[in-house]
Amino acid sequence: MAKSIMHSKDDRTCYLCMLLRDDYSARVDLQEHHAMPGTANRRLSEHYGLKVYLCVEHHLVGPEAVHNNKRLLRLLQANAQIAFERRYSHEKWMEVFGRNFI
């Protein structure tokens, strides 16, 4: 299991709580979310560390849950691309994922 290049699990924060609400409080209900959906892309997300940790509200339940909110899903995908390209390159991103989210 690769370590995330987007967000540290160690601080127990929800990635979207921090991003959307400036809330850096520790959470007990964190769930791992792979930034790139789909079976093949999930494996690639795991391999490259393109994952974040989300509270249940931002992961599965409610209007701001990435599984219910396309705008927030796209935001995570764009942030994943930025993190990936910092480490590798835009060309490598396009080779691996084949779609530009920025």
Side-chain angles (χ1 to χ4, degrees), residues 8-49:
S8 173
K9 184 179 182 179
D10 297 337
D11 62 8
R12 306 292 303 158
T13 56
C14 169
Y15 186 82
L16 286 176
C17 284
M18 291 187 309
L19 197 63
L20 301 174
R21 300 179 185 159
D22 205 26
D23 179 355
Y24 292 80
S25 59
R27 307 284 176 173
V28 294
D29 62 344
L30 289 180
Q31 299 176 349
E32 186 176 79
H33 176 76
H34 293 85
M36 305 306 292
T39 304
N41 284 339
R42 181 183 169 96
R43 280 191 224 113
L44 291 169
S45 289
E46 181 64 38
H47 176 75
Y48 289 105

Side-chain angles (χ1 to χ4, degrees), residues 3-88:
K3 195 171 187 174
S4 174
I5 65 170
M6 297 177 65
H7 180 216
S8 173
K9 184 179 182 179
D10 297 337
D11 62 8
R12 306 292 303 158
T13 56
C14 169
Y15 186 82
L16 286 176
C17 284
M18 291 187 309
L19 197 63
L20 301 174
R21 300 179 185 159
D22 205 26
D23 179 355
Y24 292 80
S25 59
R27 307 284 176 173
V28 294
D29 62 344
L30 289 180
Q31 299 176 349
E32 186 176 79
H33 176 76
H34 293 85
M36 305 306 292
T39 304
N41 284 339
R42 181 183 169 96
R43 280 191 224 113
L44 291 169
S45 289
E46 181 64 38
H47 176 75
Y48 289 105
L50 301 177
K51 54 191 177 180
V52 295
Y53 303 93
L54 302 172
C55 65
V56 174
E57 179 185 348
H58 282 123
H59 191 219
L60 298 172
V61 186
E64 287 190 332
V66 293
H67 288 281
N68 299 331
N69 188 314
K70 194 170 192 167
R71 181 184 65 82
L72 291 178
L73 175 62
R74 293 290 181 253
L75 175 66
L76 285 183
Q77 291 170 323
N79 288 356
Q81 182 176 346
I82 290 166
F84 182 96
E85 289 182 4
R86 279 188 192 128
R87 186 165 285 203
Y88 303 99

